[in-house]
Amino acid sequence: MTIRRNTILSRVGLIGLTLLIGAMSACAGPSDDSAKHAASASSSGQTATAIFAGGCFWCMVHPFDQLSGVISVTSGYTGGNTVDPTYEQVSSGSTGHAESVQIIYDPSKIGYAKILDVFWHNIDPLAVDAQFCDHGDQYRSAIFTSDAEQQKVAEESKAKLQASGRFDKPIATQIVPASAFYPAEDYHQDYYKKNPVRYKFYRFNCGRDARLEEVWGPSEH
């Protein structure tokens, strides 16, 4: 994604990006923190963790960040063999890691099944070792389960989607046990908030929202 993402962002200057914002209203943008959890800990005193890979982690933060009951969403790397990898290493495809997000949530306010449903509706489940304009196994879609219950719920949801008749191809999303999760560099965290213009331009040019509408319909993601 380094080459593809940087190529997209370098094609236009800040003025051109600003002019494009109006045409990108369907893309995700910064959420209002007052409408969000904005909490550092669960009010129930308990937390749970969900980890997903859905291509560019810039684009996977906002869908979960805006959910009531979600405490934090961290961009990072998981599923590979390299300890504490860098962005450059992961994006080269040499580590086995996928760009991922780690979601900490309050299970008394939101369930894993709901978070999983949001995940499905923000990926292309048919793409093999790719998501939208990004290609390579570092951009594969995957569900990293932390226990037997998450595994069961994930497997059931995948089977239900496959049997729904919506898709004419097999669902390519992997379901695998979670392994070490390594947070990405600071500049990748909350990218949609820190760099909203560049984020929207990248998301638009990558064809993410157009493909999501093809897969899920205009009102389902």
Side-chain angles (χ1 to χ4, degrees):
M1 182 160 56
T2 303
I3 296 174
R4 177 65 181 179
R5 186 154 61 192
N6 289 347
T7 298
I8 287 174
L9 293 178
S10 67
R11 285 178 182 167
V12 65
L14 182 59
I15 294 176
L17 286 173
T18 303
L19 293 175
L20 284 168
I21 292 178
M24 300 176 192
S25 59
C27 297
S31 61
D32 182 355
D33 284 344
S34 65
K36 182 174 165 288
H37 46 83
S40 60
S42 166
S43 60
S44 69
Q46 296 182 337
T47 62
T49 302
I51 301 175
F52 303 120
C56 172
F57 48 24
W58 291 355
C59 300
M60 290 298 288
V61 173
H62 181 259
F64 302 106
D65 213 25
Q66 63 185 337
L67 296 177
S68 178
V70 167
I71 297 166
S72 66
V73 185
T74 302
S75 296
Y77 318 111
T78 195
N81 302 310
T82 301
V83 176
D84 198 19
T86 65
Y87 172 69
E88 288 71 21
Q89 289 174 318
V90 174
S91 62
S92 74
S94 63
T95 68
H97 289 293
E99 287 198 13
S100 308
V101 289
Q102 181 189 67
I103 302 150
I104 306 299
Y105 63 98
D106 181 347
S108 72
K109 294 182 177 181
I110 188 169
Y112 183 70
K114 171 60 179 178
I115 294 174
L116 184 60
D117 183 65
V118 172
F119 163 74
W120 284 122
H121 287 84
N122 280 276
I123 67 164
D124 177 353
L126 307 182
V128 178
D129 288 340
Q131 282 293 294
F132 314 102
C133 66
D134 296 311
H135 297 266
D137 69 352
Q138 65 270 41
Y139 309 116
R140 65 190 182 273
S141 65
I143 301 167
F144 299 95
T145 58
S146 62
D147 55 33
E149 180 60 23
Q150 284 193 359
Q151 182 81 16
K152 177 175 179 290
V153 174
E155 293 285 3
E156 289 177 349
S157 70
K158 181 177 178 178
K160 183 177 180 180
L161 282 175
Q162 192 68 76
S164 68
R166 178 187 288 271
F167 309 116
D168 58 1
K169 296 179 181 179
I171 291 176
T173 303
Q174 301 173 0
I175 301 175
V176 295
S179 54
F181 178 88
Y182 301 97
E185 295 82 347
D186 286 345
Y187 69 91
H188 286 302
Q189 304 301 333
D190 294 321
Y191 191 88
Y192 81 96
K193 293 180 181 178
K194 296 174 181 175
N195 303 279
V197 175
R198 287 178 174 270
Y199 165 75
K200 289 179 180 180
F201 180 72
Y202 166 73
R203 186 180 178 107
F204 178 79
N205 257 25
C206 197
R208 192 175 190 104
D209 292 292
R211 177 57 179 161
L212 288 177
E213 185 167 326
E214 287 181 7
V215 175
W216 300 107
S219 63
E220 295 191 58
H221 60 270

